[in-house]
Amino acid sequence: MEKTWFTRLQSSLVMPGPPEEYEQSQKESAIIVIVGVVCLSSIYFGASNPEFIWALGEVLRDSLGALPSWNRVSAPEQVALSQALVWGWATIFSYLAVPVIVTLGILRLPLRKVGLQKPLNSLGWRTYLGLGFIAAAAVAAASFLPAFTETYPFFVPSDSWGLFILWQSVYGIQILAVEFFFRGFLLLGLRPRFGLHALWLMLIPYFLIHISKPAPEAIASLAAGVVLGLIALRTHSIAVPALLHLFVAWWMDALSLLQRGGLG
């Protein structure tokens, strides 16, 4: 039987699975989809809900009140940082903690099945360097747009690099959690049953979470989702997509901060 163009594309992009590749049952794939919907819903109604963020932010702010160093931070910065930290950890919980618990406790699968392993294949360092250069150039151009400098970084203290590094650390973990959820849990988790079609199951919600971002970023998320997804499928790992995404996020914040003239 002659292969269709899609079958040829799939065979060229998705490397055969490792020797212990397993046949995924309908029940297992349904669990991944349902948990994915629940996690995304929790982000929409929780981490993306201003009232939720404000309420938990006030709880965190009051809890940190006993620390002398915290009391040296201005009240407006306490509010901004508390809310940013709540948003960050809420997304980390939904995108990382819940899928890990489901993978280990319900699906009974090792985390390498959802991409937490070193890449099994490589596209070559020139490919990764080229992608990094393209992304860096695109972000550099975008940093001149007011929509980006008004959005990023999410938290900018007036004069404390310590607070900025604290936030960037949480932000970095949040980026890694996003990659684990979309390129790992959803994409590689559904790959055994759907093959290359799992890419579209991951890409749609990934694009939707960027709808509220600046228009160029929302559009670029489609291309980024496809490229990072194909890398994950090819390498059976989220390592390279996570590093590329982390680089882009921190590069965007650095350039945006530079456009603002530094802290403050």
Side-chain angles (χ1 to χ4, degrees), residues 207-253:
F207 170 70
L208 291 177
I209 68 168
H210 288 83
I211 286 291
S212 61
K213 302 290 183 70
E217 181 181 359
I219 296 172
S221 70
L222 284 172
V226 170
V227 171
L228 296 179
L230 291 177
I231 293 174
L233 287 171
R234 183 80 173 185
T235 62
H236 300 275
S237 169
I238 67 168
V240 174
L243 289 175
L244 285 173
H245 195 166
L246 191 59
F247 163 70
V248 169
W250 278 344
W251 180 238
M252 182 74 244
D253 275 9

mmCIF file of all heavy atoms in Angstrom, residues 207-253:
data_model
loop_
_atom_site.group_PDB
_atom_site.id
_atom_site.type_symbol
_atom_site.label_atom_id
_atom_site.label_comp_id
_atom_site.label_asym_id
_atom_site.label_seq_id
_atom_site.Cartn_x
_atom_site.Cartn_y
_atom_site.Cartn_z
ATOM 1 N N PHE A 207 -1.974 27.411 21.883
ATOM 2 C CA PHE A 207 -2.273 28.684 21.234
ATOM 3 C C PHE A 207 -3.299 29.474 22.038
ATOM 4 O O PHE A 207 -3.175 30.697 22.199
ATOM 5 C CB PHE A 207 -2.787 28.447 19.813
ATOM 6 C CG PHE A 207 -3.335 29.689 19.152
ATOM 7 C CD1 PHE A 207 -2.494 30.718 18.771
ATOM 8 C CD2 PHE A 207 -4.698 29.831 18.928
ATOM 9 C CE1 PHE A 207 -2.999 31.874 18.168
ATOM 10 C CE2 PHE A 207 -5.213 30.968 18.324
ATOM 11 C CZ PHE A 207 -4.363 31.997 17.944
ATOM 12 N N LEU A 208 -4.305 28.794 22.563
ATOM 13 C CA LEU A 208 -5.379 29.486 23.274
ATOM 14 C C LEU A 208 -4.883 30.177 24.538
ATOM 15 O O LEU A 208 -5.407 31.234 24.906
ATOM 16 C CB LEU A 208 -6.499 28.497 23.616
ATOM 17 C CG LEU A 208 -7.309 27.972 22.425
ATOM 18 C CD1 LEU A 208 -8.337 26.940 22.885
ATOM 19 C CD2 LEU A 208 -8.000 29.124 21.699
ATOM 20 N N ILE A 209 -3.879 29.626 25.212
ATOM 21 C CA ILE A 209 -3.396 30.287 26.427
ATOM 22 C C ILE A 209 -2.601 31.549 26.084
ATOM 23 O O ILE A 209 -2.279 32.336 26.979
ATOM 24 C CB ILE A 209 -2.527 29.350 27.308
ATOM 25 C CG1 ILE A 209 -1.201 29.032 26.603
ATOM 26 C CG2 ILE A 209 -3.293 28.092 27.672
ATOM 27 C CD1 ILE A 209 -0.187 28.354 27.512
ATOM 28 N N HIS A 210 -2.279 31.743 24.802
ATOM 29 C CA HIS A 210 -1.558 32.941 24.375
ATOM 30 C C HIS A 210 -2.481 34.000 23.771
ATOM 31 O O HIS A 210 -2.001 35.052 23.332
ATOM 32 C CB HIS A 210 -0.471 32.572 23.354
ATOM 33 C CG HIS A 210 0.699 31.851 23.944
ATOM 34 N ND1 HIS A 210 0.696 30.486 24.166
ATOM 35 C CD2 HIS A 210 1.920 32.298 24.372
ATOM 36 C CE1 HIS A 210 1.851 30.126 24.690
ATOM 37 N NE2 HIS A 210 2.609 31.195 24.828
ATOM 38 N N ILE A 211 -3.760 33.728 23.747
ATOM 39 C CA ILE A 211 -4.710 34.656 23.129
ATOM 40 C C ILE A 211 -4.659 36.034 23.779
ATOM 41 O O ILE A 211 -4.766 37.067 23.111
ATOM 42 C CB ILE A 211 -6.143 34.090 23.205
ATOM 43 C CG1 ILE A 211 -6.316 32.952 22.189
ATOM 44 C CG2 ILE A 211 -7.169 35.169 22.944
ATOM 45 C CD1 ILE A 211 -6.299 33.394 20.751
ATOM 46 N N SER A 212 -4.492 36.075 25.090
ATOM 47 C CA SER A 212 -4.495 37.353 25.802
ATOM 48 C C SER A 212 -3.153 38.077 25.732
ATOM 49 O O SER A 212 -3.037 39.208 26.212
ATOM 50 C CB SER A 212 -4.869 37.135 27.272
ATOM 51 O OG SER A 212 -3.916 36.282 27.906
ATOM 52 N N LYS A 213 -2.127 37.432 25.161
ATOM 53 C CA LYS A 213 -0.809 38.051 25.056
ATOM 54 C C LYS A 213 -0.794 39.046 23.892
ATOM 55 O O LYS A 213 -1.742 39.106 23.102
ATOM 56 C CB LYS A 213 0.251 36.967 24.834
ATOM 57 C CG LYS A 213 0.320 35.906 25.922
ATOM 58 C CD LYS A 213 0.873 36.474 27.196
ATOM 59 C CE LYS A 213 1.018 35.401 28.276
ATOM 60 N NZ LYS A 213 2.088 34.435 27.960
ATOM 61 N N PRO A 214 0.265 39.853 23.755
ATOM 62 C CA PRO A 214 0.383 40.731 22.580
ATOM 63 C C PRO A 214 0.205 39.939 21.293
ATOM 64 O O PRO A 214 0.672 38.800 21.187
ATOM 65 C CB PRO A 214 1.802 41.297 22.729
ATOM 66 C CG PRO A 214 2.064 41.279 24.204
ATOM 67 C CD PRO A 214 1.373 40.055 24.706
ATOM 68 N N ALA A 215 -0.463 40.537 20.303
ATOM 69 C CA ALA A 215 -0.820 39.834 19.061
ATOM 70 C C ALA A 215 0.365 39.135 18.394
ATOM 71 O O ALA A 215 0.237 37.967 17.992
ATOM 72 C CB ALA A 215 -1.495 40.806 18.096
ATOM 73 N N PRO A 216 1.526 39.789 18.255
ATOM 74 C CA PRO A 216 2.656 39.085 17.615
ATOM 75 C C PRO A 216 3.062 37.820 18.371
ATOM 76 O O PRO A 216 3.416 36.811 17.757
ATOM 77 C CB PRO A 216 3.778 40.123 17.634
ATOM 78 C CG PRO A 216 3.071 41.444 17.682
ATOM 79 C CD PRO A 216 1.865 41.195 18.540
ATOM 80 N N GLU A 217 3.001 37.869 19.706
ATOM 81 C CA GLU A 217 3.363 36.694 20.499
ATOM 82 C C GLU A 217 2.333 35.582 20.327
ATOM 83 O O GLU A 217 2.677 34.397 20.230
ATOM 84 C CB GLU A 217 3.492 37.060 21.977
ATOM 85 C CG GLU A 217 3.894 35.871 22.849
ATOM 86 C CD GLU A 217 4.006 36.226 24.316
ATOM 87 O OE1 GLU A 217 3.793 37.401 24.657
ATOM 88 O OE2 GLU A 217 4.316 35.334 25.117
ATOM 89 N N ALA A 218 1.057 35.961 20.287
ATOM 90 C CA ALA A 218 0.000 34.959 20.111
ATOM 91 C C ALA A 218 0.160 34.235 18.779
ATOM 92 O O ALA A 218 0.033 33.010 18.699
ATOM 93 C CB ALA A 218 -1.365 35.633 20.188
ATOM 94 N N ILE A 219 0.460 34.998 17.727
ATOM 95 C CA ILE A 219 0.649 34.390 16.405
ATOM 96 C C ILE A 219 1.907 33.527 16.391
ATOM 97 O O ILE A 219 1.909 32.406 15.869
ATOM 98 C CB ILE A 219 0.731 35.490 15.328
ATOM 99 C CG1 ILE A 219 -0.601 36.245 15.254
ATOM 100 C CG2 ILE A 219 1.075 34.887 13.966
ATOM 101 C CD1 ILE A 219 -0.561 37.478 14.368
ATOM 102 N N ALA A 220 2.978 34.040 16.985
ATOM 103 C CA ALA A 220 4.242 33.301 17.006
ATOM 104 C C ALA A 220 4.140 32.018 17.812
ATOM 105 O O ALA A 220 4.898 31.069 17.577
ATOM 106 C CB ALA A 220 5.350 34.186 17.579
ATOM 107 N N SER A 221 3.205 31.963 18.774
ATOM 108 C CA SER A 221 3.063 30.755 19.593
ATOM 109 C C SER A 221 2.673 29.547 18.750
ATOM 110 O O SER A 221 2.996 28.409 19.105
ATOM 111 C CB SER A 221 2.029 30.982 20.700
ATOM 112 O OG SER A 221 0.717 31.083 20.174
ATOM 113 N N LEU A 222 1.985 29.779 17.632
ATOM 114 C CA LEU A 222 1.636 28.669 16.742
ATOM 115 C C LEU A 222 2.896 28.053 16.134
ATOM 116 O O LEU A 222 3.087 26.831 16.153
ATOM 117 C CB LEU A 222 0.699 29.148 15.637
ATOM 118 C CG LEU A 222 -0.761 29.394 16.024
ATOM 119 C CD1 LEU A 222 -1.512 30.047 14.873
ATOM 120 C CD2 LEU A 222 -1.432 28.075 16.414
ATOM 121 N N ALA A 223 3.747 28.921 15.589
ATOM 122 C CA ALA A 223 4.990 28.426 14.995
ATOM 123 C C ALA A 223 5.880 27.791 16.051
ATOM 124 O O ALA A 223 6.466 26.718 15.831
ATOM 125 C CB ALA A 223 5.722 29.564 14.291
ATOM 126 N N ALA A 224 5.984 28.451 17.209
ATOM 127 C CA ALA A 224 6.819 27.919 18.281
ATOM 128 C C ALA A 224 6.291 26.574 18.767
ATOM 129 O O ALA A 224 7.070 25.649 19.025
ATOM 130 C CB ALA A 224 6.877 28.910 19.441
ATOM 131 N N GLY A 225 4.971 26.471 18.886
ATOM 132 C CA GLY A 225 4.374 25.219 19.338
ATOM 133 C C GLY A 225 4.674 24.072 18.393
ATOM 134 O O GLY A 225 4.972 22.948 18.826
ATOM 135 N N VAL A 226 4.615 24.349 17.096
ATOM 136 C CA VAL A 226 4.911 23.309 16.097
ATOM 137 C C VAL A 226 6.384 22.913 16.162
ATOM 138 O O VAL A 226 6.723 21.718 16.219
ATOM 139 C CB VAL A 226 4.546 23.797 14.678
ATOM 140 C CG1 VAL A 226 5.078 22.816 13.632
ATOM 141 C CG2 VAL A 226 3.042 23.950 14.539
ATOM 142 N N VAL A 227 7.276 23.895 16.154
ATOM 143 C CA VAL A 227 8.716 23.610 16.147
ATOM 144 C C VAL A 227 9.134 22.869 17.411
ATOM 145 O O VAL A 227 9.824 21.832 17.354
ATOM 146 C CB VAL A 227 9.522 24.911 15.999
ATOM 147 C CG1 VAL A 227 11.013 24.647 16.207
ATOM 148 C CG2 VAL A 227 9.285 25.529 14.637
ATOM 149 N N LEU A 228 8.736 23.378 18.567
ATOM 150 C CA LEU A 228 9.110 22.727 19.824
ATOM 151 C C LEU A 228 8.475 21.346 19.932
ATOM 152 O O LEU A 228 9.081 20.405 20.460
ATOM 153 C CB LEU A 228 8.687 23.595 21.010
ATOM 154 C CG LEU A 228 9.373 24.959 21.121
ATOM 155 C CD1 LEU A 228 8.858 25.730 22.326
ATOM 156 C CD2 LEU A 228 10.890 24.813 21.193
ATOM 157 N N GLY A 229 7.248 21.226 19.418
ATOM 158 C CA GLY A 229 6.587 19.930 19.438
ATOM 159 C C GLY A 229 7.294 18.904 18.572
ATOM 160 O O GLY A 229 7.469 17.747 18.968
ATOM 161 N N LEU A 230 7.720 19.307 17.380
ATOM 162 C CA LEU A 230 8.428 18.390 16.483
ATOM 163 C C LEU A 230 9.773 17.969 17.071
ATOM 164 O O LEU A 230 10.189 16.818 16.932
ATOM 165 C CB LEU A 230 8.625 19.037 15.115
ATOM 166 C CG LEU A 230 7.348 19.233 14.286
ATOM 167 C CD1 LEU A 230 7.663 19.960 12.984
ATOM 168 C CD2 LEU A 230 6.667 17.897 13.993
ATOM 169 N N ILE A 231 10.438 18.913 17.749
ATOM 170 C CA ILE A 231 11.702 18.563 18.405
ATOM 171 C C ILE A 231 11.460 17.533 19.497
ATOM 172 O O ILE A 231 12.209 16.555 19.634
ATOM 173 C CB ILE A 231 12.380 19.812 18.977
ATOM 174 C CG1 ILE A 231 12.846 20.740 17.850
ATOM 175 C CG2 ILE A 231 13.573 19.427 19.855
ATOM 176 C CD1 ILE A 231 13.408 22.057 18.332
ATOM 177 N N ALA A 232 10.407 17.743 20.294
ATOM 178 C CA ALA A 232 10.085 16.792 21.363
ATOM 179 C C ALA A 232 9.755 15.418 20.790
ATOM 180 O O ALA A 232 10.181 14.388 21.324
ATOM 181 C CB ALA A 232 8.915 17.318 22.195
ATOM 182 N N LEU A 233 8.993 15.381 19.706
ATOM 183 C CA LEU A 233 8.648 14.105 19.077
ATOM 184 C C LEU A 233 9.887 13.401 18.533
ATOM 185 O O LEU A 233 10.021 12.181 18.631
ATOM 186 C CB LEU A 233 7.639 14.333 17.953
ATOM 187 C CG LEU A 233 6.204 14.675 18.372
ATOM 188 C CD1 LEU A 233 5.382 15.100 17.155
ATOM 189 C CD2 LEU A 233 5.546 13.495 19.070
ATOM 190 N N ARG A 234 10.769 14.180 17.955
ATOM 191 C CA ARG A 234 11.968 13.604 17.356
ATOM 192 C C ARG A 234 12.930 13.079 18.407
ATOM 193 O O ARG A 234 13.571 12.033 18.230
ATOM 194 C CB ARG A 234 12.666 14.662 16.507
ATOM 195 C CG ARG A 234 13.896 14.166 15.762
ATOM 196 C CD ARG A 234 13.516 13.431 14.512
ATOM 197 N NE ARG A 234 14.692 13.086 13.702
ATOM 198 C CZ ARG A 234 14.627 12.516 12.512
ATOM 199 N NH1 ARG A 234 13.461 12.233 11.991
ATOM 200 N NH2 ARG A 234 15.731 12.225 11.845
ATOM 201 N N THR A 235 13.059 13.790 19.513
ATOM 202 C CA THR A 235 14.045 13.442 20.532
ATOM 203 C C THR A 235 13.466 12.636 21.686
ATOM 204 O O THR A 235 14.216 12.159 22.533
ATOM 205 C CB THR A 235 14.695 14.712 21.106
ATOM 206 O OG1 THR A 235 13.684 15.516 21.748
ATOM 207 C CG2 THR A 235 15.355 15.531 20.000
ATOM 208 N N HIS A 236 12.147 12.524 21.758
ATOM 209 C CA HIS A 236 11.463 11.828 22.862
ATOM 210 C C HIS A 236 11.789 12.484 24.207
ATOM 211 O O HIS A 236 11.841 11.816 25.235
ATOM 212 C CB HIS A 236 11.843 10.347 22.909
ATOM 213 C CG HIS A 236 11.491 9.585 21.672
ATOM 214 N ND1 HIS A 236 10.246 9.034 21.465
ATOM 215 C CD2 HIS A 236 12.215 9.308 20.569
ATOM 216 C CE1 HIS A 236 10.229 8.430 20.281
ATOM 217 N NE2 HIS A 236 11.401 8.592 19.725
ATOM 218 N N SER A 237 12.018 13.792 24.181
ATOM 219 C CA SER A 237 12.435 14.505 25.386
ATOM 220 C C SER A 237 11.974 15.948 25.301
ATOM 221 O O SER A 237 11.836 16.507 24.215
ATOM 222 C CB SER A 237 13.967 14.450 25.507
ATOM 223 O OG SER A 237 14.432 15.322 26.515
ATOM 224 N N ILE A 238 11.754 16.551 26.474
ATOM 225 C CA ILE A 238 11.394 17.968 26.510
ATOM 226 C C ILE A 238 12.613 18.833 26.803
ATOM 227 O O ILE A 238 12.482 20.046 26.947
ATOM 228 C CB ILE A 238 10.309 18.249 27.571
ATOM 229 C CG1 ILE A 238 10.855 18.016 28.989
ATOM 230 C CG2 ILE A 238 9.062 17.412 27.314
ATOM 231 C CD1 ILE A 238 9.969 18.536 30.085
ATOM 232 N N ALA A 239 13.795 18.221 26.861
ATOM 233 C CA ALA A 239 14.992 18.958 27.266
ATOM 234 C C ALA A 239 15.292 20.136 26.343
ATOM 235 O O ALA A 239 15.447 21.272 26.801
ATOM 236 C CB ALA A 239 16.191 18.006 27.325
ATOM 237 N N VAL A 240 15.381 19.877 25.042
ATOM 238 C CA VAL A 240 15.711 20.954 24.101
ATOM 239 C C VAL A 240 14.592 21.994 24.025
ATOM 240 O O VAL A 240 14.864 23.198 24.095
ATOM 241 C CB VAL A 240 16.039 20.385 22.709
ATOM 242 C CG1 VAL A 240 16.239 21.514 21.697
ATOM 243 C CG2 VAL A 240 17.289 19.514 22.772
ATOM 244 N N PRO A 241 13.306 21.583 23.875
ATOM 245 C CA PRO A 241 12.236 22.590 23.886
ATOM 246 C C PRO A 241 12.237 23.443 25.148
ATOM 247 O O PRO A 241 12.008 24.651 25.085
ATOM 248 C CB PRO A 241 10.959 21.742 23.789
ATOM 249 C CG PRO A 241 11.387 20.516 23.075
ATOM 250 C CD PRO A 241 12.775 20.240 23.571
ATOM 251 N N ALA A 242 12.503 22.825 26.303
ATOM 252 C CA ALA A 242 12.512 23.577 27.560
ATOM 253 C C ALA A 242 13.638 24.606 27.577
ATOM 254 O O ALA A 242 13.433 25.751 28.000
ATOM 255 C CB ALA A 242 12.646 22.620 28.745
ATOM 256 N N LEU A 243 14.818 24.222 27.120
ATOM 257 C CA LEU A 243 15.950 25.156 27.105
ATOM 258 C C LEU A 243 15.702 26.303 26.127
ATOM 259 O O LEU A 243 16.015 27.462 26.431
ATOM 260 C CB LEU A 243 17.232 24.416 26.743
ATOM 261 C CG LEU A 243 17.779 23.459 27.808
ATOM 262 C CD1 LEU A 243 18.993 22.703 27.281
ATOM 263 C CD2 LEU A 243 18.124 24.205 29.090
ATOM 264 N N LEU A 244 15.151 25.994 24.955
ATOM 265 C CA LEU A 244 14.860 27.044 23.979
ATOM 266 C C LEU A 244 13.804 28.008 24.510
ATOM 267 O O LEU A 244 13.935 29.231 24.375
ATOM 268 C CB LEU A 244 14.392 26.421 22.667
ATOM 269 C CG LEU A 244 15.473 25.767 21.792
ATOM 270 C CD1 LEU A 244 14.830 25.034 20.617
ATOM 271 C CD2 LEU A 244 16.472 26.806 21.295
ATOM 272 N N HIS A 245 12.752 27.466 25.121
ATOM 273 C CA HIS A 245 11.674 28.301 25.659
ATOM 274 C C HIS A 245 12.202 29.174 26.805
ATOM 275 O O HIS A 245 11.877 30.365 26.887
ATOM 276 C CB HIS A 245 10.534 27.413 26.148
ATOM 277 C CG HIS A 245 9.263 28.143 26.383
ATOM 278 N ND1 HIS A 245 8.041 27.512 26.546
ATOM 279 C CD2 HIS A 245 8.978 29.465 26.494
ATOM 280 C CE1 HIS A 245 7.103 28.411 26.728
ATOM 281 N NE2 HIS A 245 7.647 29.612 26.711
ATOM 282 N N LEU A 246 13.016 28.582 27.656
ATOM 283 C CA LEU A 246 13.581 29.333 28.778
ATOM 284 C C LEU A 246 14.474 30.458 28.275
ATOM 285 O O LEU A 246 14.426 31.587 28.790
ATOM 286 C CB LEU A 246 14.375 28.387 29.675
ATOM 287 C CG LEU A 246 14.831 28.929 31.031
ATOM 288 C CD1 LEU A 246 13.637 29.363 31.872
ATOM 289 C CD2 LEU A 246 15.647 27.866 31.765
ATOM 290 N N PHE A 247 15.277 30.177 27.260
ATOM 291 C CA PHE A 247 16.142 31.201 26.671
ATOM 292 C C PHE A 247 15.313 32.353 26.119
ATOM 293 O O PHE A 247 15.624 33.529 26.375
ATOM 294 C CB PHE A 247 16.997 30.583 25.557
ATOM 295 C CG PHE A 247 17.615 31.603 24.642
ATOM 296 C CD1 PHE A 247 18.635 32.435 25.084
ATOM 297 C CD2 PHE A 247 17.161 31.749 23.338
ATOM 298 C CE1 PHE A 247 19.195 33.393 24.239
ATOM 299 C CE2 PHE A 247 17.711 32.697 22.488
ATOM 300 C CZ PHE A 247 18.731 33.520 22.941
ATOM 301 N N VAL A 248 14.254 32.041 25.374
ATOM 302 C CA VAL A 248 13.416 33.088 24.778
ATOM 303 C C VAL A 248 12.754 33.934 25.864
ATOM 304 O O VAL A 248 12.696 35.168 25.767
ATOM 305 C CB VAL A 248 12.351 32.463 23.849
ATOM 306 C CG1 VAL A 248 11.310 33.502 23.441
ATOM 307 C CG2 VAL A 248 13.021 31.882 22.603
ATOM 308 N N ALA A 249 12.240 33.277 26.909
ATOM 309 C CA ALA A 249 11.548 34.006 27.985
ATOM 310 C C ALA A 249 12.489 34.956 28.711
ATOM 311 O O ALA A 249 12.153 36.131 28.945
ATOM 312 C CB ALA A 249 10.942 33.006 28.971
ATOM 313 N N TRP A 250 13.661 34.470 29.086
ATOM 314 C CA TRP A 250 14.610 35.326 29.811
ATOM 315 C C TRP A 250 15.200 36.401 28.892
ATOM 316 O O TRP A 250 15.473 37.517 29.337
ATOM 317 C CB TRP A 250 15.719 34.467 30.416
ATOM 318 C CG TRP A 250 15.316 33.840 31.729
ATOM 319 C CD1 TRP A 250 14.254 34.206 32.506
ATOM 320 C CD2 TRP A 250 15.982 32.774 32.406
ATOM 321 N NE1 TRP A 250 14.210 33.426 33.644
ATOM 322 C CE2 TRP A 250 15.259 32.541 33.610
ATOM 323 C CE3 TRP A 250 17.089 31.993 32.121
ATOM 324 C CZ2 TRP A 250 15.630 31.558 34.519
ATOM 325 C CZ3 TRP A 250 17.459 31.009 33.031
ATOM 326 C CH2 TRP A 250 16.743 30.796 34.216
ATOM 327 N N TRP A 251 15.403 36.094 27.625
ATOM 328 C CA TRP A 251 15.903 37.071 26.660
ATOM 329 C C TRP A 251 14.887 38.199 26.469
ATOM 330 O O TRP A 251 15.247 39.372 26.401
ATOM 331 C CB TRP A 251 16.208 36.360 25.352
ATOM 332 C CG TRP A 251 16.740 37.188 24.219
ATOM 333 C CD1 TRP A 251 16.194 37.319 22.980
ATOM 334 C CD2 TRP A 251 17.936 37.978 24.197
ATOM 335 N NE1 TRP A 251 16.959 38.139 22.188
ATOM 336 C CE2 TRP A 251 18.035 38.560 22.907
ATOM 337 C CE3 TRP A 251 18.923 38.253 25.142
ATOM 338 C CZ2 TRP A 251 19.091 39.391 22.546
ATOM 339 C CZ3 TRP A 251 19.971 39.091 24.775
ATOM 340 C CH2 TRP A 251 20.049 39.651 23.495
ATOM 341 N N MET A 252 13.609 37.830 26.409
ATOM 342 C CA MET A 252 12.550 38.829 26.271
ATOM 343 C C MET A 252 12.519 39.753 27.483
ATOM 344 O O MET A 252 12.428 40.981 27.344
ATOM 345 C CB MET A 252 11.201 38.144 26.100
ATOM 346 C CG MET A 252 10.021 39.084 25.893
ATOM 347 S SD MET A 252 9.988 39.826 24.254
ATOM 348 C CE MET A 252 10.198 41.537 24.622
ATOM 349 N N ASP A 253 12.614 39.187 28.663
ATOM 350 C CA ASP A 253 12.602 40.006 29.875
ATOM 351 C C ASP A 253 13.824 40.920 29.938
ATOM 352 O O ASP A 253 13.725 42.086 30.330
ATOM 353 C CB ASP A 253 12.560 39.111 31.113
ATOM 354 C CG ASP A 253 11.129 38.704 31.480
ATOM 355 O OD1 ASP A 253 10.213 38.974 30.675
ATOM 356 O OD2 ASP A 253 10.934 38.117 32.562
#
